[in-house]
Amino acid sequence: MKILVTGGCGFIGTNFIRLMLGSHPDWSIINLDKLTYAGNRLNLLDLEENEPRYDFVQGDICDRDLVMDLLADHKVDAVVNFAAESHVDRSINDPSPFVATNVAGAQNLMECARQRRTERFVHVSTDEVYGTLGPSGKFTEDTPLAPNSPYSASKAGADLMARAYFETYHFPVLITRCSNNYGPYQFPEKLIPLMFLNAKANKQLPVYGDGLNVRDWIFVDDHCRGVELTLTKGREGQVYNFGGNAEETNISVVRTLLSIVGKPESLITYVTDRPGHDKRYAMDFSLAHKELGFAPTLPFDEGLTRTIAWYEANGTWLEQVQSGEYRNFMDTWYEERA
Ligand code: NAD
Ligand code: DAU
């Protein structure tokens, strides 16, 4: 099978490409990535140099001519769309690029794939489209969409467009919605790598609000296996939820991380809350379990220890991605919250 993966130089895309090429000798992958601040071509440089089943193309999913050419020239069987602006805090600062890539870009990809009669299209979405939970219950695929941030609204917009493409054109699209991923190659603006970096540098660890917001953490490989199962076994037009069965408050994640890296809890600083901050996410993934055989495999403590070990061993990667635009964004963000 030949797959066009978009956003493959980001966190989840990188892990997905490595896993899929490693476990499917008959698959080949073209990675289309714009290389925004979050995309790092070096993540997959070894594949570019040594793996004939891997091709990299720098470009934008909004570029119709480029996508049309790629789908035809490479005789693509399936598209997996990871490309997105993915950080909630950035979407609060400026929603525009989120609408451009996450809504218009996703629609452009679907339209090109429809015209090229691509056989399968997996759109990677998020649990954040459901909004927030109270103290009990879980999101199912039937939970109404109620996004609370510009990021989640843009992801919900693409999900609705995908639904419309299925209903209107019988376009073979499938949607995955997953909870918070963690693991190697995650950009250090997200909670776990950011807290690791600050702890190592003996800098303050900024916990938003009271630190009691809950996320359902899933190791990135488990999410990638969920996307793979959706691609190979899922029903067209269906939404599948994925989660890690690992609900943790943010403060508990930060404390565990500090104990793994051997730094004191006095580094924790409570800062002004994120506007519109969702209180709790938890995923009911029983449909994916029943239809696809999905189950998360890694307990949170084990996954976190493995993730920290990867960051400890990959200081050069962290230095690389911390340069330029990222640092400017974080400096401004901290100044505004101090
Ligand atoms: P990321 O920010 O690490 O990577 C995004 C990638 O997309 C980058 O390589 C970037 O260069 C690329 N990109 C951005 N705009 C593009 C464009 N217009 N054209 C081509 N490439 C573009 O994101 P991630 O955390 O790996 O998330 C991947 C996908 O999974 C996103 O769609 C996100 O909404 C979804 N998701 C993420 C999580 C999570 O916890 N990280 C959970 C559920 C779903
Ligand atoms: O749930 C899936 C989503 O998970 C994905 O769709 C998003 O792309 C991904 O970024 C992630 O969104 P979150 O907003 O949940 O992740 P983030 O790592 O930014 O924050 C996790 C929690 O930690 C959240 O409650 C906010 C809090 N937080 C985050 C940062 C960066 C802090 O308290 N301090 C921080 O400095």
Side-chain angles (χ1 to χ4, degrees), residues 27-47:
W27 285 14
S28 55
I29 289 177
I30 307 142
N31 172 13
L32 171 64
D33 197 300
K34 185 178 173 182
L35 298 180
T36 67
Y37 77 95
N40 187 352
R41 188 171 176 175
L42 298 178
N43 288 358
L44 296 167
L45 196 62
D46 55 324
L47 296 182

Side-chain angles (χ1 to χ4, degrees), residues 169-215:
Y169 307 116
H170 307 296
F171 179 64
V173 64
L174 303 94
I175 298 175
T176 64
R177 294 188 182 135
C178 189
S179 59
N180 284 62
N181 286 219
Y182 66 102
Y185 298 104
Q186 189 168 31
F187 196 83
E189 63 189 352
K190 308 285 166 45
L191 183 73
I192 289 176
L194 177 72
M195 296 297 163
F196 168 81
L197 213 56
N198 283 14
K200 293 300 277 186
N202 296 312
K203 282 167 59 179
Q204 292 177 344
L205 273 54
V207 172
Y208 300 165
D210 60 8
L212 296 179
N213 300 66
V214 172
R215 297 292 181 262

Side-chain angles (χ1 to χ4, degrees), residues 221-240:
D221 287 4
D222 281 331
H223 178 198
C224 291
R225 290 295 178 201
V227 173
E228 174 192 22
L229 288 166
T230 306
L231 177 63
T232 54
K233 292 186 174 177
R235 270 188 295 131
E236 289 176 8
Q238 188 59 50
V239 174
Y240 292 100

Side-chain angles (χ1 to χ4, degrees), residues 206-213 250-251 268-275 277 279 337:
V207 172
Y208 300 165
D210 60 8
L212 296 179
N213 300 66
N250 293 336
I251 191 65
I268 294 172
T269 312
Y270 290 92
V271 298
T272 313
D273 208 354
R274 173 187 276 176
H277 196 177
K279 191 68 185 175
R337 288 179 168 239

Side-chain angles (χ1 to χ4, degrees), residues 10-12 33-34 36 39 60-61 82 86 101 125 151 155 181:
F11 164 46
I12 306 174
D33 197 300
K34 185 178 173 182
T36 67
D60 194 326
I61 59 167
F82 289 101
S86 68
T101 288
S125 187
Y151 162 71
K155 295 296 291 186
N181 286 219

